Amino acid sequence: MSVRFDLDPSVTPELREGVCALWADVSNAGGAVGFVPPVTGEDIRPELIKHLAAMAEGRARLLVGRDADGTPLATAFLYANTHRLMRHYLWVYSVMVHPSLQGRGVGRELMAAVEDAARATEGIRAIRLTCRGGTGADRFYASCGYKEVGRVPGAIKVADDDYRDDITMWQELH
């Protein structure tokens, strides 16, 4: 399946609902994108609205991967830093690929598109993101050129008896 990536797409009601549905599908398949299954679109919507508000304020950008019909299949939100000493890197949040596309290279394509977007942003020298330990996401990001630069043991609580590490990953843009 071919996925087309667009940076800063028009946020239509269809795109908004499509991203919400994607986020719920990824979460319910066990994806570590801020929720623990089971979730519905209504559970996801407040977090999506926060991202959309940041976009409207110019603090964030959306990178979305869509199929030929325009259905969102992958996303990443790129955030500019507001701290005057940290404006040289972007934060990346809510990186996700539809579960039906796992293992097909779409995640690597998404991360390459994130890197392209960061390189095209004036003054940006690096990308920073976090991921949940115990999912293999850190190995995936490492295979995309990121290095682990920090880990907080047990910082993410996914169940009463299940605490995961919060892992910070970093990629220099040379």
Side-chain angles (χ1 to χ4, degrees), residues 119-134:
R119 287 182 187 282
T121 304
E122 186 175 340
I124 296 302
R125 300 179 50 142
I127 304 167
R128 184 174 177 179
L129 57 83
T130 62
C131 60
R132 184 185 303 169

Side-chain angles (χ1 to χ4, degrees), residues 3-140:
V3 177
R4 176 181 44 93
F5 292 93
D6 296 311
L7 183 63
D8 302 324
S10 294
V11 180
T12 63
E14 294 80 17
L15 178 64
R16 188 172 50 249
E17 291 308 309
V19 171
C20 194
L22 169 65
W23 203 335
D25 288 346
V26 169
S27 296
N28 285 323
V33 286
F35 294 90
V36 176
V39 296
T40 66
E42 293 310 308
D43 298 321
I44 302 290
R45 194 168 316 283
E47 287 303 309
L48 177 58
I49 289 170
K50 289 178 188 176
H51 283 309
L52 297 176
M55 289 170 56
E57 295 168 0
R59 297 181 295 112
R61 301 174 78 184
L62 170 60
L63 177 66
V64 63
R66 294 185 265 198
D67 66 13
D69 295 327
T71 303
L73 299 173
T75 64
F77 289 90
L78 288 70
Y79 276 75
N81 279 297
T82 57
H83 192 284
R84 66 190 156 282
L85 302 178
M86 298 178 187
R87 292 185 181 140
H88 62 286
Y89 68 89
L90 295 176
W91 275 99
V92 179
Y93 295 100
S94 304
V95 176
M96 57 188 130
V97 173
H98 195 275
S100 67
L101 298 177
Q102 294 293 322
R104 296 186 183 181
V106 176
R108 288 189 189 288
E109 291 175 23
L110 173 61
M111 295 314 295
V114 165
E115 185 177 336
D116 289 346
R119 287 182 187 282
T121 304
E122 186 175 340
I124 296 302
R125 300 179 50 142
I127 304 167
R128 184 174 177 179
L129 57 83
T130 62
C131 60
R132 184 185 303 169
T135 64
D138 54 329
R139 288 188 306 276
F140 167 73

Side-chain angles (χ1 to χ4, degrees), residues 129-131 147-153 165-170:
L129 57 83
T130 62
C131 60
K147 65 180 179 178
E148 180 178 326
V149 295
R151 182 180 289 251
V152 180
D165 294 356
D166 184 15
I167 305 168
T168 302
M169 306 293 291
W170 179 263

